[in-house]
């Protein structure tokens, strides 16, 4: 099985190199790993030790960030090394102030794992939610370096719990301690004989609650919104955006803010074409302060979590694709959240639906009905329920840090 694992990684790398000829993200993924050893040694310099945080992408960074920042606050002299698998995380966080170095995780091979760990000298490693790399994990165990998984979540249909999943179960055995999001995850690990598990919850609650408590003022956004009610559509994909036309036309007194998940020129132009004459880009907002249109398209990264503070109702994209994006950022500000049908993998979305603070829609008619419902005082009660849900689930960070630093 190990040979098959290495073969699969090799094929994956070849495919990424091929895709890099035309795909921007694949190009960044490949180029970011060229000469990784020299670049990492240059960034890290000579250190005695570090704490290594690994994140698959930006979403996992935001999830694990509360633990990282709490650790840095508790131990200011700690050298933080951050690695990313995806360019979407690395490109945004490469200049993160609390880190000694931010880098791409090299391909999981025996030599890469040994060299990487030799350079950064971790006292322990913290992985967030998922990503299981055999050689990195094995090398950490062989060198008696603790490995923690935070905000982990497991489901019965994952390969770890299949009859043929022995190789992947072996990787679980390299982990020092699991901090899981829900009881199902704890029960599944316990069924495999693991007792090194704590039901700590999801650190994202701490992150979004803190963000809502210290909300940023965006004067241009405030001017755009004026006294109007505001519908914020965050992390949208084309399938989500196609549904927004009717809402825009039916509710001309509402301001609409759309923050696409992928901010590339082709996507922005397509959205402008779809909503011709009704839009303005955020980058032009400072210039044109009069005759503001109904729809604002966000064309830069990093604003979304603050935009929700100006909203009354939120739509979260991704539910017509692989799965919805972050509902908690909006819920923390007391917004009811609407999203597509693919949300079953997300416990918080299921909880919000049960509380009638989240609403799943499958088509245009259902979105229209839902938005009409939320015109009444219903949206106020739904928003209160959303915020109360977030506030009730904070505290995971403190529990995790207490165990790690014990």
């Amino acid at each position: 099985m190990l040979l098959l694992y290495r073969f699969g990684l090799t094929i994956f790398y070849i495919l990424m190199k091929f895709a890099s000829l035309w795909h921007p993200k694949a190009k960044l993924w490949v180029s970011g790993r060229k000469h990784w050893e020299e670049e990492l040694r240059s960034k890290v310099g000579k250190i005695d030790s570090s704490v290594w945080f690994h994140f698959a992408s930006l979403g996992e960074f935001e999830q694990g960030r509360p633990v990282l920042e709490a650790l840095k606050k508790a131990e200011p002299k700690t050298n933080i090394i951050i690695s990313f698998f995806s360019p979407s995380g690395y490109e945004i966080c490469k200049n993160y102030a609390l880190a000694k170095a931010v880098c791409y995780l090299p391909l999981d091979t025996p030599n890469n794992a040994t060299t990487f760990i030799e350079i950064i000298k971790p006292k322990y490693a913290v992985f967030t939610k998922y990503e299981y790399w055999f050689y990195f994990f094995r090398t950490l165990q062989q060198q008696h370096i603790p490995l923690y998984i935070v905000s982990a979540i497991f489901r019965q249909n994952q390969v770890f719990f299949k009859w043929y999943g022995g190789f992947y179960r072996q990787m679980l055995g390299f982990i020092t301690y699991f901090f899981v999001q829900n009881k199902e995850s704890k029960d599944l690990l316990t069924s495999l004989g693991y007792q090194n598990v704590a039901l700590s919850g999801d650190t994202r609650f701490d992150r979004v609650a803190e963000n809502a408590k210290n909300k940023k003022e965006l004067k241009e956004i405030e001017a755009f919104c004026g006294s109007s009610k505001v519908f914020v559509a965050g992390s949208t994909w084309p399938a989500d955006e196609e549904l927004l036309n009717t809402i825009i036309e039916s509710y001309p007194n509402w301001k609409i803010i759309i923050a696409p998940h992928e901010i590339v020129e082709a996507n922005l132009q397509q959205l402008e074409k779809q909503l011709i004459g009704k839009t303005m880009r955020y980058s032009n907002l400072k210039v044109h302060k009069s005759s503001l249109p109904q729809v604002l398209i966000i064309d830069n990264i990093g604003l979304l979590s603050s935009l929700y503070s100006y909203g009354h109702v939120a739509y979260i994209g991704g539910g017509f694709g692989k799965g919805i994006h972050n509902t908690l950022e909006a819920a923390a500000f007391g917004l009811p959240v609407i999203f597509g049908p693919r949300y079953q993998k997300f416990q918080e979305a299921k909880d919000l639906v049960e509380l009638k603070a989240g609403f799943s829609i499958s088509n245009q008619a259902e979105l229209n009905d839902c938005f009409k419902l939320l015109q009444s005082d219903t949206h106020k009660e739904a928003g209160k329920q959303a915020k109360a849900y977030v506030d009730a689930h904070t505290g995971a960070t403190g529990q995790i840090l207490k165990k790690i630093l014990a």
Side-chain angles (χ1 to χ4, degrees), residues 231-234 236-250 256-259 271 274-275 278 294-295 315 364 367-368:
F231 181 39
V232 181
T236 58
W237 294 83
D240 303 298
E241 293 154 5
E242 287 174 9
L243 301 176
L244 299 179
N245 264 334
T246 301
I247 299 299
I248 293 167
E249 292 172 0
S250 301
I256 315 294
I257 299 176
I258 304 174
L271 189 52
Q274 178 182 318
L275 305 172
K278 301 175 184 176
Q294 184 187 3
V295 182
Y315 179 96
Q364 183 73 68
L367 175 59
N368 296 346

Side-chain angles (χ1 to χ4, degrees), residues 215-233 254-257 282 296 298 303-314 329-330 333-335:
K215 64 180 183 180
K216 296 178 183 177
E217 286 190 16
L218 303 171
K219 293 191 180 299
E220 290 82 9
I221 296 295
E222 189 174 337
F224 170 79
C225 297
S227 59
S228 301
K229 286 190 173 182
V230 181
F231 181 39
V232 181
W254 277 68
K255 291 286 190 175
I256 315 294
I257 299 176
Y282 174 75
L296 183 67
I298 304 301
L303 280 182
L304 182 56
S305 62
S306 299
L307 292 174
Y308 291 123
S309 67
Y310 296 93
H312 296 81
V313 176
E329 287 181 330
F333 283 105
L335 274 63

Side-chain angles (χ1 to χ4, degrees), residues 361-373:
I361 55 98
S362 299
N363 52 50
Q364 183 73 68
E366 290 181 5
L367 175 59
N368 296 346
D369 291 344
C370 182
F371 199 74
K372 183 177 180 180
L373 173 71

Side-chain angles (χ1 to χ4, degrees), residues 132 134 137 141 147 149 152 154 158-162 165-180 182-199:
Y132 300 86
F134 180 86
F137 282 20
Q141 189 195 54
L147 168 61
I149 305 291
F154 293 94
Q158 289 176 308
V159 67
F160 305 110
F161 310 104
K162 303 294 186 182
F167 172 75
Y168 295 93
R169 286 193 290 273
Q170 185 182 355
M171 280 194 263
L172 297 181
F174 297 141
I175 294 166
T176 306
Y177 211 86
F178 300 88
F179 298 95
V180 298
N182 56 26
K183 186 175 183 297
E184 179 189 2
S185 297
K186 184 176 182 180
D187 290 345
L188 285 168
L189 288 172
T190 302
S191 73
L192 295 179
Y194 293 104
Q195 300 301 319
N196 52 334
V197 187
L199 175 53

